[in-house]
Structures are given as structure tokens and as C-alpha cells.
Amino acid sequence: MSEPTLSTRALGRALLARQHLLERSDLPPAAMIHHLGGLQAQAAPQPPYLGLLSRLEGFRAEQLSELIEQREVVRIALQRATIHLVIAEDCLSLRPLLQPVLDQGFGGNHGKRLVGLDLDEVTAEARALVEERPRTFKELGDLLAATRPDRDPAALAQAARCRLALVQVPPRGIWGRGGAAAHTTAEAWLGRPLDPQPSLDAMVLRYLAAFGPASVKDVQKWCGLTGLGAVLTRLAPGLLTFRDEQGRLLYDLPDAPRPGEDAPAPVRLVAPFDNLVLSHADRSRVLPEEYRTRVMSVNGIVSGTLLVDGTVAGTWRLTGEQEVVVEPFVRLRAADLDAAEAEARRVLAFAGGGGGVGGSVRFEGP
């Protein structure tokens, strides 16, 4: 074990630097979405907007809404088979790479309900239906079941979700509007085919750029794929290697930022469902294990998190457009409370609560 060791705190600082949570960026929103490999977006519409707000200077909701309406970014099931907001090019390249993740998710209860059915036929019919016009899963399942009355409509719709690259179309995901999740194919929506030769190596390198240094298990946790050890072994000659405090082997890009454990880390409010806390097998670099169950509920809800000195120290929520509620897990210093309130006021101003005019910030807990 000749590799240098990186402390948990140093790993956290490296992650925050790459996530633009040490210093906000002036990147265009689409460029930030690309850098992050997408933003988890299963809860519409707030999380992706709040995720960009925490990372970008001067970000406005209409910037992302316009990207969605102009088909420059899309909402589609990708990493971990969950809905992500990605740029169009990443949709076309990542979706084929992550097909095994969708297959695994479908193969449970839904797949068992369709045993013996010609899924190629179902897929072809589903494609024709959603390319005729976008459809909700309820509508699509009912239409597919019309000629298959002995089959479960929900399972039929999930077969289409698995086997087709289905994007959610506006107004789903539009700030201040929203709507039911209606779907069509990525190919129809973007007017281009899926990438016939997507690069798994490129995907792993992009993960390291946004989330490294990382272990094989970390990369697999982020995307949902398995067997990526061979990929990192193949890439290793062009990478640096480290060990964490537990002796686990970590890979990283040579020129990626690793600012050191003493780098200042400002107070930040990180969005609900943010990949910052979801994309490592060992989340302790930013999420102390004792707080994990207070952030992630048993039914899959991931709260917005309060970062203090680079680690999660509480949760927060935006209620409507008028109030931000911050719940620290421990008693905070006066300076950190002031910084948390300033971040909350920034959220209120973004959401339309008027910042210090029409909105309020409330602290609960210690």
C-alpha cells in the first residue's frame, strides 16, 4: 500500500471543490449540468433548480426552464434508474450505457407479471403510441393493456420505460408550472438517435471529474452498474491512486482539484435529492454516518442538507415561496447561523419570496 492516504476531510474538500460548493461558478447552467453528469430530478420541479442555485452565481429559474422547453436538457431515467436532468448529448450517450440498470430494476415485480409475453411487440407498440403524442404511464399502460387484458397495465408501462429511452416533456419540470409526467422517446424529442458506440471509459472519467477521488464501489454506487473494476484497472495508467483512511484504493484524475483538508468551506444549502450525498458507497466525506437516517428516509426521501465546515450538519426545506425552515442537528456558532440565514434568504429571493421582504427564515432544533 504505497499510495498516499487522503483523510476523510480532504476527500470532502476535493468533492466540494468539484461540485462548485466551495466557490460558486459563473458557468452557464447547461455546462454545469454536463459537468455534474446530470442532476437527480425525481421530485419535480424544485431539486434541479435548487441544485444549480447552490453552485452558480446569478442563476435564475427561467434559465433552466428555457433549456427544458428548447430541448437542450431533458428529464430521463438514468443513474440508479432514477430520473435525472441531463443535457441532450448526455441523454443520448448515457442512456445506452445504463440500460443494464433499467433492466435490473424492471426484472423484479414488474417483469414477473409479464412472463411469457412478447416484449419486443410491446416495445414496438409503446414506441408508436408515445411518438404519436406524449403519454403518461397510466395512459400508456391502459392502451397497451387494451389488447392484453390479462396483463397488468402498470407492468406494461414499466416495460416500455425499461426498453425505450423515454423523456418527460414540458411542462413537467418547469418552475412555477409543472404538470403530469408525460413521455415520448428521446429520439423523437431530440430528433437524433441514441449513441451507437457510447464510451463507458468516458463516463467513468467524467464521474471522477465531478465526484473523485473515488473507489470502484463509489463509481458503481453513483451509476448503478456493476463490474467497473475492470474499467478502472484499464484506465489506471493515466490516473493517480490514493488510499482512504480505511485503506481502500481510490482513483483520480491527475489535474483534478484536491485543495486539502484545511480549505475554507462556506455554509451552503444543498438541494433535496442532490447527488452530493448519493454518489458514493462511503458517504462519510460529506455525510456523517450518524446523520444518514435523518437525511435519507426509509421511503426514499432525501432532504435538503445544510453544510457547515464541509459536512452535513442539518436539513432544510422550502415551504411554498415564502419560508425556508432550517433544522440544524447541533448547536451552531453565531457566524454559521448568520451564514445559514443568508443562504436561506438567497433561496427565498430565487423562489419569489422577496428575500428579506416577503419571505421568512425559521430555525428549528438546537
Side-chain angles (χ1 to χ4, degrees):
M1 293 183 16
S2 60
E3 296 86 2
T5 297
L6 292 175
S7 69
T8 300
R9 184 177 172 90
L11 288 172
R13 290 302 194 269
L15 173 61
L16 294 174
R18 297 172 205 202
Q19 292 284 308
H20 294 277
L21 290 168
L22 293 184
E23 294 183 9
R24 291 192 177 99
S25 171
D26 58 1
L27 282 172
M32 180 61 75
I33 295 167
H34 174 68
H35 167 70
L36 297 173
L39 292 159
Q40 185 152 319
Q42 66 193 69
Q46 286 188 5
Y49 290 85
L50 298 175
L52 291 174
L53 178 68
S54 65
R55 294 170 168 92
L56 296 177
E57 290 288 1
F59 173 66
R60 306 183 314 278
E62 57 266 27
Q63 291 176 287
L64 179 53
S65 292
E66 288 172 3
L67 289 172
I68 296 172
E69 292 179 317
Q70 293 167 2
R71 310 189 187 195
E72 295 182 40
V73 302
V74 297
R75 299 166 54 87
I76 184 172
L78 290 172
Q79 295 97 306
R80 305 180 298 277
T82 57
I83 298 297
H84 276 68
L85 184 85
V86 293
I87 66 170
E89 291 76 9
D90 285 347
C91 168
L92 299 173
S93 63
L94 291 177
R95 180 57 178 78
L97 289 172
L98 297 173
Q99 183 61 49
V101 183
L102 278 292
D103 290 338
Q104 183 179 25
F106 172 70
N109 291 334
H110 292 303
K112 292 176 182 177
R113 295 174 186 171
L114 301 181
V115 171
L117 192 63
D118 185 340
L119 293 182
D120 289 340
E121 181 183 273
V122 173
T123 303
E125 183 176 340
R127 179 183 292 277
L129 288 168
V130 298
E131 291 185 350
E132 178 183 47
R133 63 177 178 82
R135 303 186 188 266
T136 66
F137 281 146
K138 173 66 166 62
E139 181 184 8
L140 179 60
D142 288 345
L143 289 169
L144 292 171
T147 54
R148 302 170 183 87
D150 59 332
R151 300 294 185 169
D152 177 47
L156 291 167
Q158 289 302 309
R161 179 183 188 265
C162 170
R163 294 166 67 88
L164 296 171
L166 294 181
V167 299
Q168 297 181 354
V169 304
R172 185 71 168 179
I174 301 299
W175 187 271
R177 290 171 58 193
H183 307 80
T184 188
T185 64
E187 299 95 318
W189 188 247
L190 299 176
R192 288 172 280 169
L194 300 180
D195 188 341
Q197 295 183 311
S199 171
L200 193 57
D201 289 13
M203 185 189 78
V204 171
L205 292 173
R206 287 185 55 195
Y207 169 81
L208 293 178
F211 294 95
S215 68
V216 172
K217 288 185 177 179
D218 289 330
V219 186
Q220 293 179 164
K221 182 68 174 180
W222 168 73
C223 64
L225 293 170
T226 58
L228 296 184
V231 176
L232 282 159
T233 298
R234 180 169 65 249
L235 294 171
L239 301 175
L240 298 182
T241 54
F242 301 91
R243 298 276 174 177
D244 65 12
E245 291 176 339
Q246 288 71 45
R248 290 174 291 223
L249 182 63
L250 307 175
Y251 298 86
D252 203 12
L253 303 176
D255 57 353
R258 288 177 293 278
E261 60 182 32
D262 294 328
V267 170
R268 291 286 188 258
L269 298 185
V270 178
F273 296 97
D274 200 286
N275 277 332
L276 178 76
V277 297
L278 295 172
S279 299
H280 296 84
D282 180 1
R283 302 181 177 100
S284 63
R285 63 185 70 192
V286 290
L287 176 58
E289 179 60 26
E290 62 265 31
Y291 297 151
R292 182 177 57 82
T293 57
R294 299 181 70 173
V295 172
M296 303 174 180
S297 71
V298 294
N299 59 352
I301 302 300
V302 181
S303 298
T305 52
L306 166 69
L307 295 183
V308 177
D309 191 26
T311 61
V312 173
T315 59
W316 72 280
R317 63 187 185 274
L318 172 63
T319 62
E321 297 179 345
Q322 297 297 320
E323 183 181 52
V324 170
V325 180
V326 182
E327 185 177 356
F329 296 152
V330 296
R331 187 174 297 278
L332 300 181
R333 300 179 307 158
D336 293 331
L337 283 171
D338 290 344
E341 179 166 357
E343 289 293 290
R345 295 278 173 199
R346 188 170 181 270
V347 170
L348 284 170
F350 170 83
V357 180
S360 63
V361 178
R362 177 162 52 93
F363 287 87
E364 295 181 347

